[in-house]
Amino acid sequence: ALQHLRNALEEAQRLDEQAAQRQAEQARDALRKQYESMLETQSTIHDETVALGDDDLGRRQRSQARALAARQGELRDELLAMADQHEGLSEAPIFTLAHAQLDRLMAQSGAGLEERRIETRTNQSQRQAMTILASLVEVLQEQQQQQDESDFEDGSSGGGEGGGQGGGEQPVIPPVAELKLLRSMQQLVADQTRAISEQETRDDSEVRSVVDLQRQLFEQGASLIERMNPNPNPTEPDTNQETPNPEPINPVEEGGATP
């Protein structure tokens, strides 16, 4: 009788874990779909901005720029509302950092369009926002693919372990997804640093933004290592476990070039 009770408890726990995992997968899929929609919208805004040209805008083009600024503002508002709409998003610091960068870039794009200044910075802000959105979509797609493969190997449609995250309740955004996004954000910093170093006249506020992002990535990378490896002295370290590189990318210093 006691063994029967234990088996029943184990089965109940297994079913609870499967239900929690399905819920996390559904939340992750909804998040990915919204990022995809936002990427499509941002891409359209960028294409239509490029079509306006960068010369003096006529009356019709100025009207189109104002309309694009309004659409950019709506997309920014949608981004800001996501933290309250998607469970688990605020619990993923790297994703939160990506959202902060998206907000800054969309604000720059909207300001340039509102002032009818279709310049390099406006286009760059839009392209960088597209890059971050594409990275968000990609890491969530890869996470779901890993989950599907794990489920297949376990012979269950919902009994996997969340892409190597172990048993128990699974987060909507696992640390491994944050790790991949961290690497994409590090590449963004490298690209921004290179772009600034090639400018004849540098914007001090832009330099500070890149330096600040690089610092935050370093801090969040170190924190992510601790979350992924809670035991500081493992007896048998897992050589296959991906870990982020917390070393900072040399940023462009204000008033000087990258060494």
Side-chain angles (χ1 to χ4, degrees), residues 37-235:
S37 175
M38 295 177 71
L39 174 58
E40 182 178 356
T41 300
Q42 185 64 70
S43 298
T44 300
I45 292 173
H46 173 66
D47 291 344
E48 294 183 12
T49 299
V50 172
L52 292 176
D54 54 5
D55 297 327
D56 292 337
L57 303 183
R59 179 178 299 178
R60 180 179 179 183
Q61 291 171 314
R62 290 197 298 270
S63 176
Q64 291 174 332
R66 284 194 297 270
L68 286 172
R71 289 165 61 187
Q72 185 70 85
E74 291 171 358
L75 188 62
R76 186 185 178 198
D77 290 341
E78 179 181 351
L79 174 75
L80 294 174
M82 289 182 70
D84 295 329
Q85 296 172 347
H86 293 275
E87 179 184 358
L89 184 57
S90 60
E91 299 172 4
I94 307 299
F95 274 63
T96 300
L97 182 56
H99 274 233
Q101 288 303 305
L102 280 171
D103 179 65
R104 181 180 68 84
L105 293 168
M106 290 181 182
Q108 287 180 353
S109 169
L113 290 166
E114 184 65 34
E115 297 171 12
R116 274 78 77 190
R117 290 185 291 101
I118 313 303
E119 54 188 12
T120 300
R121 185 177 184 182
T122 301
N123 289 321
Q124 283 183 343
S125 296
Q126 294 174 354
R127 288 195 297 270
Q128 289 171 5
M130 291 161 58
T131 297
I132 295 176
L133 287 168
S135 296
L136 289 164
V137 171
E138 182 180 3
V139 298
L140 292 176
Q141 283 179 333
E142 290 180 356
Q143 181 61 35
Q144 188 56 50
Q145 289 172 355
Q146 290 179 357
Q147 181 65 60
D148 292 342
E149 291 172 0
S150 177
D151 290 343
F152 179 78
E153 291 173 358
D154 290 345
S156 169
S157 61
E161 294 188 349
Q165 295 300 310
E169 184 176 353
Q170 302 301 321
V172 174
I173 302 174
V176 67
E178 290 193 82
L179 168 60
K180 292 175 180 177
L181 181 60
L182 174 66
R183 289 175 171 171
S184 296
M185 295 294 291
Q186 287 175 329
Q187 183 58 51
L188 176 65
V189 168
D191 293 342
Q192 290 177 334
T193 299
R194 182 168 54 254
I196 291 175
S197 67
E198 295 172 353
Q199 294 176 359
E200 294 182 2
T201 303
R202 294 178 185 169
D203 186 327
D204 288 343
S205 64
E206 187 175 357
V207 172
R208 285 192 295 270
S209 295
V210 173
V211 172
D212 185 56
L213 174 57
Q214 193 277 335
R215 176 187 57 78
Q216 292 181 72
L217 287 173
F218 173 77
E219 294 173 351
Q220 292 296 341
S223 176
L224 183 58
I225 289 177
E226 294 180 359
R227 285 191 285 133
M228 296 182 74
N229 301 280
N231 181 5
N233 296 305
T235 56

Side-chain angles (χ1 to χ4, degrees), residues 29-41:
D29 187 57
L31 186 60
R32 176 186 57 79
K33 288 180 178 178
Q34 185 166 4
Y35 284 139
E36 287 180 338
S37 175
M38 295 177 71
L39 174 58
E40 182 178 356
T41 300

